[in-house]
Amino acid sequence: MKKVFLASFTFLFSLMIMGGCNTAKTSQNSGIIVRSKTINLFNGKNLDGWYTFLQYKGKDNDPKKVFTVQDSLLRISGEEWGCITTNEEYSNYKLIVEFKWGTQTYAPRVDKAMDNGILLHSTGLDAGSGGIWMHSIECQIIEGGTGDFIVVGDGSEKFALTATVSNEKQGESHVFSPDGDTVTIHEGRINWFGRDPQWKDAKNFRGEKDVEKPVGEWNRIECIALGNEITIFLNGKLVNHAVNVQPSRGSIQVQSEGAEIFFRRIDLISLNQNQLH
C-alpha cells in the first residue's frame, strides 16, 4: 500500500504544475493522459450554478443573506449553519479555492476556532447529515486544522477513505504520514500531517507548523480528486492524501459554520485519465 501512495504522489505533483484550459499532457511516470478544462464554479458576480441550504430554513431560503457576492468576492457570514451546493455532480478534477477569514463569529462559536469546510463527493439528501449537509468527504477549513479529512458519512461502508498515518493519534483522530501504516475509516477524521498536538478550539489559534496564513491573508487550497483518490495541497504544500475513497463523485458544498469567510476563486479543472497500453 505504501508503494501505491508514493506512486500517486509522483503523478499528483505533475498535476500541480499543470495549467491552462483545454490542455492535454502525458505523465511520463504514470503513462496517464490528463485532459483538463477549467470551470469557474464561482463567477464573481452571483451564485449561478449553486443553491443555498440552511438548517431550519431549507433550500434557497436565505433571509439573513448568509451567502452574498460583494466586490467580486463570495462572502459567507457564518451566522447560520448551512452551505451552498453545486447543481452539478463532478468526478476527476482539481478544485482550486482561494479564501481568507473575516472578523465576525457567531454563537455558539464566538470564541472558537474559525471553522468552515469544503464537502467533496456530496451525495444523497440535503440535510442528510445532522440536518444540515449531504453525506460527503470533507476537506476541513478550520484554524490550525485546514487540510484535515472528515468522513461526513452515515457510518456505513458507502463512505470511506484509506490513508497512511503515524503511530500516535491526536485524541481520537489519526494523523496523516506518508511513511506510516494504512488505516481505513468510515467516520471520523484524518488530521493533516502538521496539526499541532496541542490544538485548541480557540479563535486565532496558530500551530507551530501551520501552513495556513494569518487571518486576513489569502490562502490557496487545492483538492485533487482523481479516480478514488483525494489529495490536498495548502499554499503549495501537500498536507493530506487518501485512497480508496468512497464515493468518488458527487456535488461540491461550501459550508457556513459560525465564522465569516471570503472566497475570491472556486475553480474546477476537470481531469480525464485513460490508461495507455
Side-chain angles (χ1 to χ4, degrees):
M1 180 63 75
K2 291 181 184 179
K3 291 183 179 179
V4 173
F5 274 78
L6 291 174
S8 300
F9 287 155
T10 301
F11 175 51
L12 289 166
F13 277 116
S14 73
L15 290 180
M16 284 294 291
I17 61 175
M18 180 182 65
C21 300
N22 299 314
T23 62
K25 299 194 176 187
T26 302
S27 169
Q28 296 179 351
N29 295 318
S30 64
I32 295 175
I33 292 178
V34 181
R35 303 184 187 279
S36 64
K37 179 180 179 181
T38 299
I39 302 170
N40 304 123
L41 293 182
F42 172 54
N43 63 19
K45 301 175 182 178
N46 50 47
L47 290 178
D48 285 356
W50 304 80
Y51 64 88
T52 68
F53 191 92
L54 290 172
Q55 187 181 30
Y56 309 125
K57 291 187 173 64
K59 185 175 181 178
D60 288 333
N61 182 18
D62 184 12
K64 291 186 178 181
K65 304 298 182 184
V66 174
F67 308 101
T68 57
V69 178
Q70 305 174 1
D71 299 323
S72 300
L73 302 179
L74 167 62
R75 177 182 182 263
I76 299 180
S77 72
E79 185 174 0
E80 296 186 62
W81 262 237
C83 58
I84 56 172
T85 305
T86 59
N87 293 326
E88 303 294 332
E89 293 189 349
Y90 300 96
S91 63
N92 294 325
Y93 56 80
K94 178 166 75 168
L95 182 69
I96 303 173
V97 175
E98 294 180 357
F99 73 92
K100 68 175 180 179
W101 295 110
T103 58
Q104 294 181 291
T105 54
Y106 297 89
R109 297 194 60 82
V110 173
D111 299 317
K112 304 296 185 182
M114 288 187 282
D115 191 9
N116 196 282
I118 302 168
L119 305 182
L120 309 174
H121 304 333
S122 303
T123 61
L125 299 175
D126 292 312
S129 177
I132 311 174
W133 302 294
M134 299 166 73
H135 293 304
S136 54
I137 304 297
E138 178 172 356
C139 169
Q140 174 75 304
I141 300 177
I142 188 172
E143 291 182 292
T146 297
D148 294 350
F149 278 122
I150 303 177
V151 178
V152 187
D154 57 10
S156 73
E157 294 185 357
K158 294 186 298 182
F159 300 91
L161 60 80
T162 298
T164 52
V165 299
S166 63
N167 292 329
E168 295 185 7
K169 298 175 72 173
Q170 293 180 350
E172 297 299 317
S173 301
H174 294 283
V175 181
F176 170 64
S177 173
D179 298 321
D181 295 322
T182 58
V183 64
T184 298
I185 63 171
H186 299 281
E187 57 185 359
R189 67 198 303 142
I190 304 290
N191 290 345
W192 74 279
F193 79 86
R195 200 184 219 262
D196 197 311
Q198 303 302 316
W199 182 86
K200 295 181 180 179
D201 190 7
K203 191 174 181 179
N204 298 321
F205 179 89
R206 294 289 297 177
E208 182 179 349
K209 297 181 180 179
D210 274 3
V211 179
E212 184 178 329
K213 296 179 182 179
V215 172
E217 295 186 20
W218 288 103
N219 294 275
R220 176 185 174 110
I221 192 164
E222 299 177 62
C223 303
I224 300 173
L226 190 62
N228 64 356
E229 297 185 40
I230 300 178
T231 307
I232 301 173
F233 291 86
L234 177 60
N235 294 324
K237 191 173 186 65
L238 188 148
V239 294
N240 220 333
H241 178 226
V243 299
N244 299 328
V245 177
Q246 297 183 52
S248 59
R249 69 173 291 118
S251 301
I252 296 170
Q253 300 181 283
V254 182
Q255 295 177 309
S256 172
E257 286 190 277
E260 182 184 37
I261 192 170
F262 295 89
F263 296 87
R264 67 181 180 186
R265 181 181 183 186
I266 306 177
D267 285 349
L268 183 145
I269 301 175
S270 59
L271 305 173
N272 268 321
Q273 61 172 0
N274 298 301
Q275 186 68 41
L276 298 179
H277 299 288

